[in-house]
């Protein structure tokens, strides 16, 4: 019997395409080492467990706090992270229903970016800042520690900003604000808006 194993997602860009916002060295290390380690841990921890065969969102929501939920959350968040980028020259501003919701929730798209930057900069330690939509259809900006994910709280993550130092230290060292601002230049808002439930 072939057991299901989670795998690295295919990327819509080459590892060097996001430079200079994210260097090839950073993307390669982050995607091919850190992300792969979380995947390998997840697959190993699932073997023979009652969660084997469940979808990733189900594992994320049902596994009790511990190594399995940590690694499942990190795999889920890193999927969001790596699938949401596009080379700067192809980046487009958001539009349509997504932009309308952003304007209703935050006043303007620029205000959303300001809130994401403020939230990311004020977060302490390793974790993630998210743009989410809650069960009432309201957009919010929030942060969670380590490998936690908004799915566990009934919210749908639309955008995920990795605040672990492995995401930016090679390129930006302690200049976290530059990392956040440059990350905004490579967001594929079509992908982000496609995550609306
Ligand atoms: Fe990461």
């Amino acid at each position: 019997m072939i057991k299901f194993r989670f795998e690295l997602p295919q990327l819509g860009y080459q590892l060097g395409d996001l430079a200079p916002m994210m260097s090839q060295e950073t993307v390669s290390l982050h995607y091919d080492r850190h992300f792969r380690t979380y995947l390998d841990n997840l697959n190993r921890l699932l073997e023979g467990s009652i969660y084997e065969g469940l979808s990733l969102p189900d594992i994320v929501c049902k596994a009790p706090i511990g190594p399995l939920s940590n690694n499942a959350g990190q795999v889920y968040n890193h999927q969001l992270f790596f699938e949401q980028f596009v080379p700067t020259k192809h980046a487009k501003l958001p539009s349509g229903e997504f932009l309308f919701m952003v304007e209703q929730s935050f006043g303007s798209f620029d205000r959303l970016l300001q809130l994401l930057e403020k939230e990311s900069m004020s977060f302490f330690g390793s974790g993630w800042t998210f743009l989410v939509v809650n069960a009432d259809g309201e957009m919010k900006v929030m942060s969670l520690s380590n490998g936690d994910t908004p799915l566990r709280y009934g919210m749908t993550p639309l955008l995920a900003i990795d605040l672990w130092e492995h995401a930016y230290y090679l390129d930006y060292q302690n200049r976290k604000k530059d990392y956040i601002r440059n990350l905004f230049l490579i967001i594929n808002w079509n992908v982000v808006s496609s995550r609306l439930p």
Side-chain angles (χ1 to χ4, degrees), residues 30 38 74 78 128 162 164 166-167:
H30 195 180
Y38 296 127
Q74 281 294 73
H78 280 89
W128 297 80
D162 193 338
W164 287 60
H166 67 225

Side-chain angles (χ1 to χ4, degrees), residues 161-179:
I161 300 177
D162 193 338
L163 301 178
W164 287 60
E165 283 189 348
H166 67 225
Y168 63 88
Y169 204 80
L170 269 182
D171 292 338
Y172 296 96
Q173 293 82 49
N174 63 332
R175 292 176 288 114
K176 185 176 166 187
K177 187 181 285 186
D178 291 346
Y179 159 65

Side-chain angles (χ1 to χ4, degrees), residues 11-22 82 84-92 182-189:
L11 300 180
Y13 50 86
Q14 301 296 311
L15 297 181
D17 283 353
L18 305 181
M21 312 312 164
M22 259 187 234
F82 281 107
Q84 72 196 0
F85 296 126
V86 67
T88 303
K89 62 183 181 219
H90 300 303
K92 296 187 181 73
N182 282 343
L183 187 134
F184 292 152
L185 302 177
I186 50 172
I187 298 290
N188 186 339
W189 292 101

